[in-house]
């Protein structure tokens, strides 16, 4: 093997052996490997530090975002609570203003027209009493047995009736007018019954089956003149009522200014004279076969103070249709009224109301649709009360 020739500084040639070149390359390789190992050996530790630092930054960012989100949610919650409170305050103020306006109008109307309240032992000159609800039980001269069955079941008697009025603001009266003949035997019988039970509201109204719309107007007008109540209820004397459930339900709507509550329906307008609920003015409702507007069924319904006052003020010009429930619904068309379809006010008799009571859904009112009331109520209402009644003490624990 021959070496390569290189020239020296002095101009002479020098030969370098191939062996030395090889050794030099090997030495350079080992030096490079050693340096690489030392350098890259520190990289994992540096990488771990970088990853750890990034993870801490991400955790801090997540915590910061979470805190910001919580603060935002808390702020939004506070805002929504304030909005709710403001809305409730506006509703309450609206009701107060509306009530004051209605009272002023009612007072003016009372002086101009007079509201018919028959003379009674309580006297007419007494100021209006404050109440939560006034319940008028629609009855007739021939319904003494029905009244006694109501007194024996859901309607408190004697001192309990007075206590209910004084402590809970719940007024209950049988409402009835007069006969066509002054001071007839029918009127004297009611006077005697009133003397015994003290649970009548006598109306300036001549009783008659086809005069129920007029009687309804006069009841609300008379009740508004005697009691300053939040709600006014009309119920038939062959319907079973749970007072505690009624007042508990009404309490939820106390802040609402114009409430119309009942079992809402929209039945057909009956044009045939042979039909029980024939509507002589059927032509006002459009073509043959049309339905009525939505209105509460007549067995029981509730209206708030403003609506009762509205009826009182406008009673001379409120039109009376053949059917009382239709008449009432028509008086509110065009007004800002909240229609509440409360199905617990139209439960059936046992087993319907019994099953619901066992499931914890106590009914407000129970009756048979086929009879527009409890069929044979004098005999049957006690059974309904036993199976579907809420208990005599429920009304005392109701929160108003």
């Amino acid at each position: 093997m021959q070496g390569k020739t290189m020239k020296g500084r002095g101009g002479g040639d020098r030969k370098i052996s191939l062996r030395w070149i090889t050794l030099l390359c090997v030495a350079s390789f080992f030096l490079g490997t050693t340096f690489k190992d030392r350098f890259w050996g520190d990289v994992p530790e540096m990488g771990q530090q970088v990853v750890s630092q990034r993870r801490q930054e991400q955790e801090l960012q997540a915590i910061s975002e979470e805190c910001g989100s919580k603060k935002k949610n808390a702020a939004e919650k506070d805002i929504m609570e304030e909005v709710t409170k403001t809305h409730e305050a506006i509703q309450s103020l609206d009701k107060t203003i509306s009530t004051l306006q209605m009272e002023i109008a009612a007072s003016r109307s009372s002086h101009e027209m007079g509201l018919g309240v028959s003379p009674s032992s309580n006297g007419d000159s007494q100021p209006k009493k404050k109440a939560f609800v006034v319940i008028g039980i629609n009855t007739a001269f021939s319904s003494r047995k029905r009244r006694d069955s109501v007194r024996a079941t859901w309607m408190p008697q004697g001192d309990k009736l007075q206590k209910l009025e004084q402590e809970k603001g719940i007024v209950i009266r049988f409402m009835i007018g007069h006969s066509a003949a002054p001071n007839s035997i029918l009127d004297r019988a009611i006077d005697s019954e009133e003397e015994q039970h003290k649970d009548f509201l006598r109306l300036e109204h001549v009783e008659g089956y086809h005069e129920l719309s007029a009687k309804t107007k006069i009841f609300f007008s008379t009740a508004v003149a005697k009691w300053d109540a939040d709600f006014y209820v009309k119920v038939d004397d062959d319907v079973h009522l749970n007072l505690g459930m009624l007042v508990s339900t009404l309490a939820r709507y106390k802040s609402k200014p114009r409430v119309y509550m009942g079992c809402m329906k929209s039945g057909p307008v009956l044009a045939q004279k042979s039909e029980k609920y024939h509507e002589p003015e059927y032509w006002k409702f459009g073509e043959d076969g049309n339905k009525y507007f939505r209105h509460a069924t007549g067995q029981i319904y509730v209206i708030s103070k403003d609506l009762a006052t509205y009826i009182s003020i406008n009673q001379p010009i409120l039109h009376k249709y053949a059917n009382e429930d239709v008449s009432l619904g028509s008086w509110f068309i065009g007004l800002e009224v909240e229609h509440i379809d409360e199905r617990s006010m139209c439960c059936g008799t046992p087993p319907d109301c019994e099953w619901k009571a066992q499931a914890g859904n106590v009914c407000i009112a129970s009756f048979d649709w086929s009879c527009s009331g409890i069929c044979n109520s004098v005999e049957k209402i006690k059974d309904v009360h036993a199976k579907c009644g809420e208990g005599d003490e429920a009304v005392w624990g109701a929160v108003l």
Side-chain angles (χ1 to χ4, degrees), residues 52-316:
S52 177
Q53 184 176 359
R54 287 184 177 179
R55 186 175 298 166
Q56 290 177 356
E57 291 176 355
Q58 290 174 350
E59 290 176 353
L60 288 173
Q61 183 178 0
I63 292 171
S64 176
E65 290 176 354
E66 184 179 357
C67 290
S69 177
K70 287 182 178 178
K71 290 180 180 179
K72 183 180 179 181
N73 291 338
E76 289 177 353
K77 184 178 179 181
D78 291 341
I79 292 172
M80 289 306 298
E81 287 179 354
E82 290 301 320
V83 169
T84 301
K85 290 179 181 178
T86 303
H87 180 66
E88 291 175 351
I90 292 172
Q91 278 190 327
S92 178
L93 182 60
D94 177 51
K95 181 180 179 182
T96 302
I97 293 172
S98 179
T99 298
L100 289 172
Q101 290 173 338
M102 284 291 189
E103 286 179 348
I104 293 170
S107 178
R108 185 183 301 117
S109 177
S110 298
H111 288 296
E112 291 176 356
M113 299 182 301
L115 291 176
V117 182
S118 295
S120 65
S121 58
N122 293 330
D124 288 339
S125 60
Q126 291 184 357
K128 290 200 294 186
K129 296 179 180 178
K130 181 64 181 174
F132 175 68
V133 61
V134 175
I135 302 171
I137 307 173
N138 186 35
T139 192
F141 289 118
S142 59
S143 299
R144 173 64 190 261
K145 289 183 178 180
R146 282 188 180 182
R147 291 192 291 273
D148 285 341
S149 69
V150 169
R151 293 178 178 122
T153 52
W154 62 264
M155 181 180 179
Q157 288 297 291
D159 293 339
K160 288 185 177 180
L161 186 65
Q162 294 298 318
K163 184 179 179 182
L164 194 65
E165 183 174 336
Q166 294 168 3
E167 296 186 6
K168 303 293 286 187
I170 301 171
V171 180
I172 310 173
R173 297 287 190 276
F174 287 104
M175 58 164 172
I176 194 167
H178 298 274
S179 64
N183 197 31
S184 70
I185 188 172
L186 297 175
D187 292 308
R188 292 199 300 270
I190 295 296
D191 291 340
S192 176
E193 195 176 339
E194 161 66 4
E195 190 174 338
Q196 179 184 356
H197 294 284
K198 307 294 183 185
D199 57 5
F200 277 94
L201 175 63
R202 300 301 297 274
L203 308 175
E204 287 295 343
H205 166 74
V206 177
E207 286 292 320
Y209 180 78
H210 296 291
E211 296 297 328
L212 290 179
S213 293
K215 186 176 182 179
T216 299
K217 286 200 300 183
I218 294 171
F219 161 64
F220 286 122
S221 299
T222 304
V224 166
K226 290 181 69 68
W227 292 284
D228 178 19
D230 293 302
F231 298 99
Y232 299 84
V233 178
K234 177 263 178 181
V235 61
D236 289 338
D237 61 5
D238 57 352
V239 171
H240 181 268
L241 188 62
N242 279 318
L243 292 170
M245 283 302 300
L246 173 66
V247 297
S248 295
T249 301
L250 295 182
R252 300 201 301 265
Y253 299 95
K254 194 172 180 179
S255 64
K256 303 285 187 177
R258 291 169 294 277
V259 169
Y260 174 32
M261 181 187 298
C263 293
M264 298 294 167
K265 65 175 184 176
S266 180
V269 180
L270 303 176
Q272 299 299 322
K273 290 185 178 180
S274 58
E275 297 284 354
K276 181 179 180 181
Y277 299 110
H278 165 63
E279 177 56 72
E281 296 181 276
Y282 61 89
W283 54 272
K284 287 186 176 181
F285 297 92
E287 301 299 326
D288 187 26
N290 278 3
K291 290 185 176 183
Y292 287 114
F293 40 79
R294 297 289 284 178
H295 61 280
T297 186
Q299 288 85 349
I300 178 174
Y301 46 74
V302 182
I303 61 174
S304 58
K305 178 180 179 178
D306 285 2
L307 296 183
T309 307
Y310 173 83
I311 292 173
S312 173
I313 295 169
N314 297 286
Q315 68 158 316

Side-chain angles (χ1 to χ4, degrees), residues 153-154 156 160 385 389-396:
T153 52
W154 62 264
K160 288 185 177 180
H385 187 65
E390 62 190 350
D392 295 339
E393 298 302 317
V395 66
W396 301 102

